[in-house]
Amino acid sequence: MTEATQTHYRTCNLCEAMCGIKIEYRGNEVLSIKGDEDDPFSKGHICPKATALQDIYEDPDRLKYPVRRTDNGWEEISWNEAFDEVVENLTAIQAEHGRNAVGIYQGNPNVHNLGTMLFSPPFVRSLRTKNRFSATSSDQLPHHFAAFFMFGHQLLMPVPDVDRTDFFLILGANPIASNGSLMTAAGIGNRLKDLQKRGGKFIVIDPRYTETAKRADAHYFIKPATDALLLLAMVCTLFEENLVELGRLETIVTQLDDLRETVKDFTPERVADVTGISADTIRQLTRDFANADRAVAYGRIGLSTQAYGGVCNWLINCLNILTGNFDEAGGAMFTLPAFDIVGLTSLTGQVGNYDRWRSRVRDVPAFGGELPSSIMAEEILTEGDGQIKAMVTVAGNPVLSTSNGEQLDEAFESLDYMVSIDIYINETTRHANIILPPTTGLETEHYDLVFHYLAVRNTAKYSPILFEKDDNQRHDWQILSELRDRLEAKNSRPARGKDWFRRLTPRKLVDMVLRTGPYGSWLYPPVSGDGINIHTLDKNPHGVDLGALVPMLPDRLTTDDSMIHLAPEIIVKDLQRVREDLLDKTSAQSNGYDLHLIGRRHLRSNNSWMHNSERLVRGKNRCTVMIHPDDAQSRKITNGDVVTVKSRVGEVQVEAEVTDTIMRGVVSIPHGWGHHREGIQMDVASEYAGVSVNDLTDDQRIDELTGNAAFNGVPVVITK
Ligand code: SF4
C-alpha cells in the first residue's frame, strides 16, 4: 500500500530569517518544501536555500556515524569507542600540558541549533580551557561589545523596527541577499517595499552597489572601513546643528556632554575626502535622518568585520539614541522573546565580561569568555607553556571562515589531536582524528533561541522532529552531554548537584523556560491568552504572534546605574586610533597594495557549508573578484580573465568580473569557497570549488578594540 502524503510545518533554521516552511513528505521522502503562508512572522516567504534542508538530509556525503582517520582512510567506529578515545586523548593532553592545551572552536551553525545552544555551555565548561573561540569574533563581536559597555549586557542588541520606520539607513549590509542579519526579518524584501509604499525611504551606504542598494531610494559609495568617520561626522552634525532630541530617554542617558566633546572635531568637511562622501551629503543625510518621524540606522557585516567595528557599532547606537529613535516604534528596539535569554541571564548576573584573561601570544583580552578566532593559529603554532596541542571543533569550518585560512590549515595539521563534531569531512574536519556526526535539520526539533531574540516582531514557534533518527545516530545535545559526563568523570569532577539538568531534554528545557518567561503562566501573569508553553506551541504549528516590539527601557538596562552610557571610556579612547589611522596617515603607507578587498554575500549561499547542494551552487560561477572597469583597464584585465589577487598573507587565482557596481579602488570576493583542498569528502562542493577569500585576509588585522577579525578593507594587489 502506498504511504499517504503528509504535511509538516517548521521553521527553516539555515539562516537568521526564521521562515516558516511547509514540507510535503511521504514516508522518509521529502516531496516539496514551500513557504508557510500561515506563519505569522514570515507569511509565506521562503528563499532558494530552504531546499538545502532536503539536500543535506539526503546528502550521500553526510556522515551519520563516528569515523576515525587512519593511514588507510576513514573508518567507521562505534560511538562508545569514539567517546572513549576522544576523552582519553583530551584528558591525557591536558594532564601533560595543562588545561589550556585543549582549544575549542564553535562555528556559526551552533546558534541555529537548539541542541547546541542549550548543551554547549556545560560541555565547554567541562573542557576547563581558556582557549575558547567561536564565529562570534569573525562576525558580530562589535555589536556585543557596544551593547555591553553602553547598556550593560552583551546580548542587549537593538534591532531595527523595519515594519514601522519611515527612514531606514543601512550601512555595510545587504539584507536582500542575506535576508537580514542581527535583524531577523523573514521576507525583508517585502518589508522594504512596504516601507516605500507608506511613503518612507531606505538609503544604503556601501562600497558596492548591492542587491539592496539597487532597490534603495539612494545609495552612496563609501571607501571600505571608513564608516566610523562618516558616523562620527553625522553625530558631530547632530550636535552642531542642534538636532539632538532625546525625547523619553532624556532621563536615562549619561555622558551626553562627553559625547559632544568627543566628536566635535570630526566635522563632515574633515572626513569627506577619506570616506568618499561629500560634506554636503553627510550634512543633508544627517538632517533627513533627524527630521524623519521615525528613523533607524542599522549597520552590519561591512561595519562589524573591519578594523573599527567597535566604534562603528557604538556610533550607530548613538545616532539612534540622539535622534529619539531608540526604544521607540520605528526606531532601534529591543525584543521581548518568549524564551527570554536576556531576562534570564540578567537575573543570574551573566551579563557578559571583558578582559578576564588574555591570550598567551598576542596578549589580546577575552570578551564574553572567548578569545578572538584570528589568534587561534598562533596559539597552536607558537611553542611554549600553554600552547594548544589539541582542538575540538563543533559545527565550524574555520579554515575557510577565519583570517589567513592557510595558516590555520597548517596549524590544525600540526596538532597532536583533534576531534570534530560535524556532519562533513570538510577543509577543517579532515584534520580531525575522530569526527562525531550529529543528526541534522529535519531529524531534529527546533526552537529558535537566538533569532526570536533578534527578530523585528515578537513571535514563538516550536518545530518537532520530522524524520526520526535511526537508533545508532546521536543528536548534537546527546553527543555534548556524553562527552561532558565522561570528561567530568575522568577529571573526578562529578556533576555538582546538577543531575536534574542531565535528565532534561531540549524540549523539556524549552518548556520550562517558556513557562517562566514573560508570556508564560508560572511566574508572570501571561501577556496573552493562557500563556505560552510547549503545548501551546504544539497546538499552533505555524507559530504564535506575540505582537510588535514594545519599549523596554529603562527596565531592560543592566548597567550599574541603570542608565545608557553614551561615551564609554574604553570606546572613546579608541578614537585616537581611528584619528591616527584614517585621518593622519597618508596613502603612501600602502606598500604597493593599491586596492581594498571586501567580501560579499549571495542569496544562494550561506558561509561554507551549503556548497554540497547541487541546486544551490550550479550555474554561473559566483566566486569571482569584482573589479571596477577603470581599475581593470589600467591593469589590462578584461571580464572573465583569471587574475592573481595577492595580499600580505597569500594569493589566489580567480576569475575577474568587471563591473561598475563596485567602487573604484575596491575589489570583492565572496567568502565560504575554496573547496579544492585534498582530502575533503564533499563531491559537489569540490566540483564548484572556488577560492577562499580567507587565504587573503590577514590574521594580524583585527579590530584592536573588540578583537573581531578585520575582513573588510584588506590591502591587495591584482595582476592579470
Ligand atoms: S531566508 Fe533563510 S530562513 Fe528563510 S528559507 Fe531562506 S535560508 Fe531558510
Side-chain angles (χ1 to χ4, degrees):
M1 200 174 76
T2 324
E3 285 183 85
T5 299
Q6 292 177 275
T7 306
H8 169 86
Y9 297 98
R10 67 186 299 115
T11 300
C12 172
N13 64 336
L14 295 177
C15 87
E16 301 184 31
M18 282 201 316
C19 295
I21 51 173
K22 177 181 170 185
I23 303 178
E24 302 278 337
Y25 67 102
R26 193 180 301 123
N28 268 14
E29 186 194 357
V30 173
L31 302 175
S32 69
I33 300 181
K34 295 190 175 128
D36 176 6
E37 304 281 341
D38 296 320
D39 183 293
F41 184 65
S42 61
K43 299 183 175 149
H45 174 78
I46 194 172
C47 90
K49 290 191 293 294
T51 53
L53 282 168
Q54 177 183 5
D55 295 348
I56 293 165
Y57 174 67
E58 294 171 356
D59 192 342
D61 289 336
R62 173 164 73 101
L63 299 174
K64 291 186 175 170
Y65 316 108
V67 289
R68 173 163 53 205
R69 185 160 49 86
T70 73
D71 291 342
N72 302 317
W74 294 90
E75 66 174 18
E76 207 168 290
I77 56 174
S78 74
W79 284 100
N80 203 33
E81 201 179 346
F83 287 134
D84 273 351
E85 186 183 309
V86 168
V87 171
E88 191 63 45
N89 278 283
L90 295 182
T91 50
I93 284 169
Q94 285 185 316
E96 188 180 344
H97 302 286
R99 291 177 182 186
N100 298 332
V102 171
I104 177 162
Y105 175 85
Q106 300 182 86
N108 163 274
N110 285 290
V111 294
H112 295 263
N113 274 346
L114 178 62
T116 46
M117 277 305 293
L118 292 171
F119 287 76
S120 248
F123 165 66
V124 173
R125 281 195 295 276
S126 75
L127 287 173
R128 304 179 304 153
T129 177
K130 290 180 176 169
N131 279 320
R132 305 173 190 167
F133 308 92
S134 81
T136 295
S137 51
S138 300
D139 186 330
Q140 82 276 4
L141 182 49
H143 293 259
H144 296 297
F145 195 91
F148 181 63
F149 285 101
M150 296 181 79
F151 315 128
H153 196 307
Q154 66 176 10
L155 298 179
L156 197 49
M157 299 185 291
V159 293
D161 186 10
V162 62
D163 292 343
R164 290 181 290 178
T165 198
D166 303 316
F167 193 103
F168 191 17
L169 180 61
I170 302 173
L171 298 103
N174 186 7
I176 295 287
S178 71
N179 278 301
S181 180
L182 298 189
M183 172 186 67
T184 290
I188 183 69
N190 291 337
R191 293 176 198 265
L192 291 174
K193 243 187 235 163
D194 290 346
L195 188 165
Q196 288 170 320
K197 266 192 222 154
R198 61 178 180 265
K201 288 180 174 183
F202 71 97
I203 312 278
V204 171
I205 296 179
D206 202 290
R208 193 165 79 79
Y209 184 56
T210 61
E211 292 75 5
T212 306
K214 284 172 194 163
R215 291 169 54 174
D217 296 275
H219 163 252
Y220 301 102
F221 283 119
I222 186 168
K223 292 182 192 163
T226 64
D227 314 77
L229 290 182
L230 168 70
L231 291 164
L232 281 161
M234 290 184 76
V235 174
C236 171
T237 305
L238 289 177
F239 284 113
E240 263 188 9
E241 301 192 10
N242 290 323
L243 295 168
V244 173
E245 181 63 64
L246 291 169
R248 185 175 58 83
L249 299 184
E250 194 143 3
T251 54
I252 53 169
V253 301
T254 62
Q255 303 174 324
L256 184 65
D257 291 339
D258 296 343
L259 179 60
R260 181 189 292 113
E261 191 58 26
T262 298
V263 300
K264 71 176 185 197
D265 293 343
F266 293 93
T267 59
E269 291 69 24
R270 191 154 179 227
V271 308
D273 278 355
V274 184
T275 58
I277 303 180
S278 74
D280 283 350
T281 302
I282 297 174
R283 285 194 183 275
Q284 193 56 48
L285 188 61
T286 312
R287 288 176 204 134
D288 291 347
F289 187 84
N291 293 329
D293 283 345
R294 297 169 166 195
V296 64
Y298 160 73
R300 197 47 198 103
I301 282 287
L303 268 70
S304 64
T305 64
Q306 56 142 296
Y308 315 101
V311 166
C312 286
N313 280 282
W314 161 63
L315 291 166
I316 290 269
N317 288 335
C318 288
L319 203 53
N320 290 325
I321 294 166
L322 295 177
T323 52
N325 289 303
F326 198 78
D327 199 41
E328 294 287 357
M333 300 194 80
F334 297 114
T335 57
L336 184 60
F339 192 116
D340 184 12
I341 306 176
V342 170
L344 264 179
T345 47
S346 296
L347 281 175
T348 56
Q350 293 162 299
V351 295
N353 54 74
Y354 172 68
D355 206 6
R356 281 212 181 141
W357 64 84
R358 288 187 164 241
S359 72
R360 179 180 65 105
V361 179
R362 215 185 299 181
D363 195 38
V364 296
F367 182 88
E370 288 181 3
L371 291 165
S373 55
S374 296
I375 65 147
M376 191 160 42
E378 70 196 26
E379 292 295 330
I380 297 171
L381 292 169
T382 310
E383 289 182 10
D385 277 354
Q387 180 184 4
I388 296 177
K389 298 279 188 180
M391 278 298 296
V392 180
T393 67
V394 187
N397 191 355
V399 168
L400 294 191
S401 61
T402 63
S403 316
N404 200 350
E406 283 278 357
Q407 179 184 238
L408 192 61
D409 207 18
E410 279 167 35
F412 284 156
E413 183 63 29
S414 74
L415 288 166
D416 290 353
Y417 195 73
M418 179 161 158
V419 55
S420 294
I421 299 177
D422 209 288
I423 57 173
Y424 285 121
I425 299 174
N426 62 29
E427 294 73 13
T428 294
T429 63
R430 70 194 172 120
H431 296 295
N433 296 81
I434 284 192
I435 304 177
L436 305 168
T439 54
T440 185
L442 305 178
E443 298 161 332
T444 63
E445 63 197 313
H446 187 61
Y447 183 93
D448 232 306
L449 297 195
V450 173
F451 300 107
H452 277 122
Y453 132 78
L454 292 167
V456 298
R457 191 171 176 88
N458 292 313
T459 58
K461 181 166 168 180
Y462 172 78
S463 311
I465 289 170
L466 171 56
F467 299 134
E468 288 296 337
K469 68 178 181 62
D470 73 39
D471 288 346
N472 199 24
Q473 285 180 277
R474 296 281 191 282
H475 296 303
D476 45 18
W477 62 275
Q478 292 173 314
I479 296 171
L480 294 166
S481 290
E482 185 70 35
L483 284 173
R484 183 196 56 175
D485 283 354
R486 290 179 184 232
L487 281 165
E488 288 186 346
K490 195 88 180 169
N491 288 319
S492 310
R493 283 161 52 100
R496 290 151 297 164
K498 288 187 188 156
D499 275 348
W500 59 270
F501 182 82
R502 287 157 200 270
R503 288 194 294 273
L504 289 173
T505 59
R507 181 181 163 87
K508 282 185 187 160
L509 271 165
V510 170
D511 188 35
M512 197 171 82
V513 179
L514 289 176
R515 283 173 189 271
T516 55
Y519 309 88
S521 49
W522 277 358
L523 299 185
Y524 294 82
V527 171
S528 61
D530 295 329
I532 297 286
N533 58 43
I534 205 81
H535 305 293
T536 331
L537 298 186
D538 284 342
K539 285 185 210 146
N540 291 278
H542 307 289
V544 176
D545 184 30
L546 300 169
L549 306 185
V550 291
M552 302 283 294
L553 299 186
D555 297 352
R556 204 68 157 166
L557 296 172
T558 50
T559 44
D560 291 344
D561 51 6
S562 299
M563 304 281 274
I564 295 173
H565 295 193
L566 281 179
E569 193 187 344
I570 189 168
I571 300 178
V572 169
K573 266 191 185 163
D574 199 44
L575 287 187
Q576 186 57 23
R577 191 169 61 92
V578 174
R579 197 186 302 267
E580 284 173 10
D581 289 359
L582 298 180
L583 289 179
D584 299 345
K585 279 187 188 168
T586 66
S587 54
Q589 288 158 321
S590 66
N591 293 329
Y593 295 108
D594 54 353
L595 295 167
H596 286 101
L597 175 67
I598 61 169
R600 72 177 186 267
R601 181 80 185 255
H602 194 280
L603 181 63
R604 302 178 81 87
S605 180
N606 190 3
N607 304 331
S608 63
W609 70 285
M610 282 180 211
H611 293 164
N612 218 39
S613 163
E614 176 85 39
R615 46 185 163 173
L616 287 187
V617 293
R618 72 183 163 211
K620 191 174 161 225
N621 176 24
R622 301 200 300 262
C623 189
T624 59
V625 58
M626 286 182 169
I627 182 166
H628 189 275
D630 293 350
D631 292 325
Q633 196 184 21
S634 61
R635 290 162 182 77
K636 300 191 173 26
I637 291 167
T638 53
N639 201 40
D641 283 350
V642 173
V643 297
T644 299
V645 187
K646 195 167 177 234
S647 73
R648 186 190 76 84
V649 304
E651 65 178 59
V652 299
Q653 275 77 44
V654 60
E655 183 185 322
E657 183 177 344
V658 180
T659 167
D660 60 5
T661 61
I662 191 102
M663 194 176 185
R664 276 183 201 83
V666 182
V667 292
S668 165
I669 301 178
H671 74 279
W673 300 90
H675 306 290
H676 54 276
R677 289 171 167 89
E678 248 176 60
I680 78 158
Q681 294 190 13
M682 298 172 74
D683 281 353
V684 176
S686 302
E687 198 182 324
Y688 300 86
V691 298
S692 175
V693 70
N694 287 321
D695 289 343
L696 296 168
T697 57
D698 190 335
D699 56 298
Q700 296 299 314
R701 292 186 84 251
I702 61 171
D703 173 14
E704 287 171 23
L705 177 63
T706 66
N708 203 90
F711 293 129
N712 282 302
V714 178
V716 293
V717 64
I718 296 194
T719 48
K720 189 167 170 179

